[in-house]
Every structure is written in structure tokens, then in C-alpha cells.
Amino acid sequence: MIFGSLLPVLGAFAMVRWCVKSPEELMKCEDMEVFVCVLKSNTLECLRAIKDGEADAITLDGGEIYTAGLDYNLQPILAENYGNGSDTCYYAIAVAKNGTEFGIKDLRGKRSCHTGLGKSAGWNIPIGTLLALGLIDWSGNGGRPLEDAVSEFFSASCVPGATNGSNLCSQCKGDCSKSQKEPYYGYSGALKCLAHDAGDVAFIKHLTIPDAEKSKYELLCKDGTRQPIDNYRDCHLAKVPAHAVVTRKDQRLSQLIYSSLKLVQNIPLFSSSNYTDKDLMFKDDTVELVQIPNNTDSFLYLGAEYTSIIHSLKKNQSSQAASSAIRWCAVGDAELTKCDTWSEQSMEANRTMIECQSAPTVDDCLMKILRNEADAMAVDGGEVYTAGKCGLVPAMVEQYDAGLIPASASASSYYAVAVVKTSSGLTWNKLKGKRSCHTGVGRTAGWNIPMGEIYQTTKNCNFSTYFPSGCAPGSDPASSFCRNCAGSGGGLEDTNKCNPNDTEQYNGYAGAFRCLVEDAGDVAFIKHTIVPENTDGNGPAWAEDLKSRNYSLVCPSQGNSTVSIDNYESCNLAIAPAHAVVTRPEKHADVVRVLMNQQARFGVGSTVEFDLFSSPSGKNLLFKDSTRCLQEITAGQTYDEFLGSGYMDAMNTLRQCSETTPDLEKSCTFHSCQQKK
């Protein structure tokens, strides 16, 4: 088993209390001799017990992990790995007996076998698929319950956990509970339901059918065809995150659970053969347990695509469904102030079109969007990359060229440049050992492109050996890349120093240029428009006396010389993709609709006092001030298609330095199934 770097058991007498749901699980748990075993009748009772401190851990499937995070504030810490290329994922499949003739599009009126209500492979994925295919008629939004629509679609079913006595329980053999009291509960139970001719189709995972029985069954593919059971990689409903151990958000407790599992020696963790049952405590087909990155909550573990499926099944329970507003996420106080003004101005027919959420960093905002606590924000290319790795999608792109309005096949872009003081005598080849000013860690022009260029030359991920000091907001506060940051001007005790938001004076494009101006660095990595926007009478108070002629560009292609700042087309580090609005896949159409309306009212050329693309109390708040309009990105276009192969190559190269990968991205890329192939 893989447990990462396991720490010693905390306290000589500390024991993990494992929650079990059947006498068979209780027996296996007690035989392990390292746990205090807490018996409850079902999963929800276990979740309540863990939240209340009466128990500590349990293994759950994806749908239950979602509930554990949403309603009980629990988090996954260890994922089951099923081997054979599945990693910490598995395939949700639909199975029918060999010799029957129907396809997945012919399921209306058939009998169905499910692992359990709210379970991943047995409910969320298949019902979400049937809804997406337009086969089940259900609109949600306060109408009839989803269970009623499913009950009308299938002639009879066994869905453990549904209301006993309903059509969804009519084919069950026991009490229709999500427990061992129902023989058709779980993966093996749903297969047994099909084998016993209690159903025509079973929704299970790809490892459920024993090798000796595979010839009896066939897969139902989403295109209406059938394939042999072993072709699950090409014929499945979805590839979804594996079952995981969940507990309270307590790092010490997590370490104790890791250590306790490591101590289990007397019985096999991943076998239930001695207890006349299957999948007790862990799935029997588990190969090992893999430690999940720290601070990965339920929503990051499951990923945006899977959580979107769950949201689509809960439309009638969502207050947000009744609102036409978009929840915009603002980073820092200045952005929130502008967002609040926008929200007030956006009123139509006594309702607001924009609601404001806020967070201290871009990554925190992205997490809010993933958790369905916010809907959208505009981010730079590097942040689009991270957002895309987490399953979010680009919806609209900023257009900086008025000549390409109202629409163009060509997306907007800008040049990433390196700026020095003309009097410094610096060239690109003389930058090593100098001080650097960056827009922020993970930002396109300010970090990803220049540091990727430097890595290509040095093959050294320790960038402090190249730039011994500087300011890169968002770095570790103890890093040399925070040493020269200014914070909010409060001196040595300034807690805002190196923050990746407007409380740090050197944050962002204008901030990185200010870092150079105020001699906190020797080179600034910024966008090509920033110097003219902050010199020759333009810009805020700190820039009022600056002259553009006092600044020059340096670039790898002209390593021993400098050029004037208006020669950016010939001297730049790369052409960078424009900033884009990101959202969850299911919100794409709503975000585009609302933003089209908003820019028609408050965009360039509008006569109202509020200007969506202007920041009178700051710089580049919510959107780039140089934005002329927002252009729609076609639904279905992925983040990598938007960023382009050149930028993707640069990012993938830089990601060879693992320390450059944000914690959020590490959590989102933990599973292979979260990444589109």
C-alpha cells in the first residue's frame, strides 16, 4: 500500500474509531485489532457520527463523498486504487444479459437494478446519462421529484435507499435499504438482481463481474451499440473517482488514520472472503490505498464534471436554479467594491443580474466556483490552465483590439515582455543574479512564460539561483520571491506583503512595473501595454512623472541588446492568450447570456455612469481595463484548445518543476479520470 510519508501514531493509546454498517463489517473491523469499531445502521448515521466526533472514518463512494463534504464538512484522505490502468478511478457501466437485443436508448419500460440511491455507478452516472440523452423527461426546478420521473421511465426497479413500497423498490429482495439487509444492495447486489432476472439492466462498475461470468453479459454503450464486458474502456457511461476514506478536517486525525491502517498485518484489508459477504470496509478489488493531496476537499476530489452531474440531478432542490443571476467571484476588497457597484447597477425588473462573492486569491475563487458557491470570474492564461485542469471551462474571452469587434475568428492576445530601466545597461543575457518583479506566481506574462524560458536554458527548478531576490506575489512568504514585495506599505510587520491580491502594491501587471520603478527589482515581466499605460502622463499617482523613454525591452532573441518599448512585436517572450471568463460546464450558456447583456449595458460606448471595463479605484479590477468587449467561446471548446498548443507546451514544460504547480491544481490532477485525453 502507498501511504506517503507516514507519521508515528499520535499518542500511545489513541485509536481510530471506524464506522461500520453491518455485523459482517463489524467482525472484519474487530479482527483488524487496530480500530475501535462503531456500528451504525447506514451511511448517513456514520456521517453524523464522524461529524459529531463519535467515530472517525469510513470509506464512501463518490455520491456519498459529495454528501459528506456538503452536509457534514468531511474530506477524503485516502483513495482506493484498482490497478490495471484504472488508478484511483473506475468505469461506470450499464450491463445487460447476452442475447437480449435492446440498447441504452431502448431502456424505457425495462426493469433496472441499481447499487443504491445517490451512488455513483448505480444512480448518479446512469440517471445523469439518461437525462443528458433526453431519454428521461425531467426539468427539476421545483417540479416533480427526480425519483418519480425515473419510476415512470423504468417499469420496475431495485434502487436501495428509495422509498420502500415505491416502484423503485418493487424488484428488491429485502427491505430496499442501503445496507446488507437488502441482498441487491451494492455492486455485487445489483449484478445479482440482474442475474436473478429481477431486472433487465444493471448499473455497476467495470470490476464487478467475475471473469468466469463475463461471457453471460454485454455492455450497453452510449451510442446505442453493445460490446463485450472487457471493452469497458471504449464502452462506458463515465470514468469516475474511486471510493475514498473520509474523516473530519483535522490533519492530526488524518495522520493517525494513515498510521493505523499501516499497522494492520493480521488480515488482508481488501478481502471479505472470510466474512460471507463482499466489499466490507473497502472494495475487494482494491489494490492499494493512495494518499490524497492535503487540503483536497470533497468537491476537488470528485472534480467539476462529476459534481456537475450531481447538480443536474438536484435541480429541484437548488435555490440557485430559481435565480437568473450570475455569482461573480471578486479577489480582494477593491474588486469586491467594484463588483458590489456592478451588482447594484445590474438591477432589472427588481432583481439583480450579478451577485458578488469574494475570496482572498484566484485559487480560492476557483474553489468557490467548483463548489457551486460562485459561478464565474475572469482569469489570466495560467489560471485558465489551472481552472481547466480542475474541469472548469472558458466561456468568454477579453478582446483588446477594437478592430476585431463585434466578432472575429481570431481570439485576442497580448505580448509577454521583459522590461528594464534603460539606464541599467541590462540585457537578457545579463539578467542572472539580478532582482525580478513578477505579476504573480502562476500568472502568464509574469511567471509562466519567463520562468519557462529560463527553465529551458538552465533545467533548474530552483529559480532563486537565477533571481536571488524579487517580488512574485503568491510565493511562500519565506521565499526570496517575497523578499522585495511592498505589501500595503505597512513596513516590516505588514501582513499583506506578497499577497496575490490588491493588498500587495506590487501585485499584477501595474504592480510588477511599480516594483521596477521603485527599485525593488531590476527587471519586470509584464504585458506589452503596461509601460505606456503608466507613463507619459498616464496611470496613478506613483506613475505621474514617469517617461516611457526611460524603459526598454530585453528578450532572448536579442540577448545582448535592448529595444524601445514600442518594439514588442520583434522583442517579446511569447504571444500570450487573452484573459478569459471561466465557469462550470453546465453554467456556460447562462454566463454568456448574462455577460452579453451586461456589456451591452455597461461596456465601451455605453452612456451610463458605471463602466464594466474601467477601474477608477484601482487597476484591472474584475476585467482588464484595456478590454474592448467580451467574445463568446463556443461551448465545448476545452481549456487547452483555447490556450493553444504553444502555450500548452510552455505550461507542460514548466510543470516539470512540481513546486510551480499550485496546490489547487495538484488536488485537481490527482485522478487520471479528471483529465480529458
Side-chain angles (χ1 to χ4, degrees), residues 58-79:
I58 188 174
T59 306
L60 303 177
D61 103 311
E64 296 162 337
I65 291 169
Y66 179 89
T67 300
L70 182 68
D71 298 332
Y72 299 91
N73 199 32
L74 306 181
Q75 71 174 18
I77 59 169
L78 288 168

Side-chain angles (χ1 to χ4, degrees), residues 278-486:
K278 290 187 175 182
D279 300 328
L280 300 177
M281 298 181 67
F282 304 97
K283 293 291 158 280
D284 293 344
D285 40 39
T286 303
V287 174
E288 61 186 0
L289 296 174
V290 180
Q291 189 171 344
I292 298 168
N294 290 336
N295 303 317
T296 302
D297 67 10
S298 295
F299 307 98
L300 293 180
Y301 178 79
L302 295 172
E305 185 172 15
Y306 184 80
T307 54
S308 292
I309 291 171
I310 297 181
H311 295 153
S312 73
L313 302 183
K314 297 178 179 292
K315 285 187 289 191
N316 62 329
Q317 301 173 18
S318 172
S319 60
Q320 180 63 17
S323 172
S324 59
I326 292 298
R327 296 168 295 173
W328 199 266
C329 197
V331 179
D333 294 338
E335 282 206 343
L336 181 59
T337 299
K338 179 179 177 180
C339 188
D340 286 339
T341 302
W342 182 15
S343 179
E344 293 168 3
Q345 294 289 327
S346 73
M347 291 288 292
E348 279 188 0
N350 295 320
R351 63 181 183 180
T352 184
M353 300 297 290
I354 299 294
E355 297 174 359
C356 299
Q357 299 290 321
S358 67
T361 69
V362 170
D363 280 4
D364 289 328
C365 266
L366 294 178
M367 289 178 70
K368 278 182 173 285
I369 296 172
L370 287 165
R371 292 170 179 154
N372 198 21
E373 297 170 1
D375 297 316
M377 70 181 305
V379 295
D380 106 313
E383 293 154 346
V384 171
Y385 182 91
T386 295
K389 289 290 188 180
C390 290
L392 301 183
V393 297
M396 301 197 81
V397 59
E398 294 179 348
Q399 177 56 261
Y400 311 121
D401 187 344
L404 297 178
I405 297 174
S408 171
S410 300
S412 190
S413 59
Y414 61 90
Y415 293 91
V417 297
V419 179
V420 299
K421 291 179 179 177
T422 304
S423 60
S424 70
L426 287 177
T427 66
W428 180 266
N429 292 343
K430 296 178 181 178
L431 290 183
K432 185 174 182 180
K434 303 303 179 183
R435 302 165 301 162
S436 56
C437 300
H438 306 262
T439 59
V441 172
R443 300 288 296 273
T444 297
W447 186 269
N448 296 336
I449 288 176
M451 303 317 247
E453 181 71 34
I454 290 167
Y455 175 77
Q456 289 279 38
T457 302
T458 65
K459 304 301 180 185
N460 185 354
C461 291
N462 184 5
F463 295 117
S464 63
T465 63
Y466 199 90
F467 294 122
S469 68
C471 179
S475 298
D476 185 319
S479 164
S480 62
F481 285 104
C482 283
R483 190 175 302 158
N484 297 357
C485 291

Side-chain angles (χ1 to χ4, degrees), residues 627-677:
T627 302
R628 309 310 294 166
C629 76
L630 299 173
Q631 293 177 321
E632 180 179 357
I633 297 172
T634 305
Q637 184 175 10
T638 60
Y639 76 100
D640 52 336
E641 292 170 338
F642 167 75
L643 292 174
S645 59
Y647 188 72
M648 285 297 297
D649 288 345
M651 286 299 300
N652 292 335
T653 296
L654 188 61
R655 284 299 185 261
Q656 295 179 48
C657 300
S658 60
E659 59 268 32
T660 69
T661 306
D663 288 342
L664 172 61
E665 193 176 311
K666 290 177 181 177
S667 294
C668 290
T669 55
F670 173 68
H671 299 298
S672 62
C673 52
Q674 290 176 329
Q675 304 310 305
K676 296 292 186 184
K677 295 293 187 280

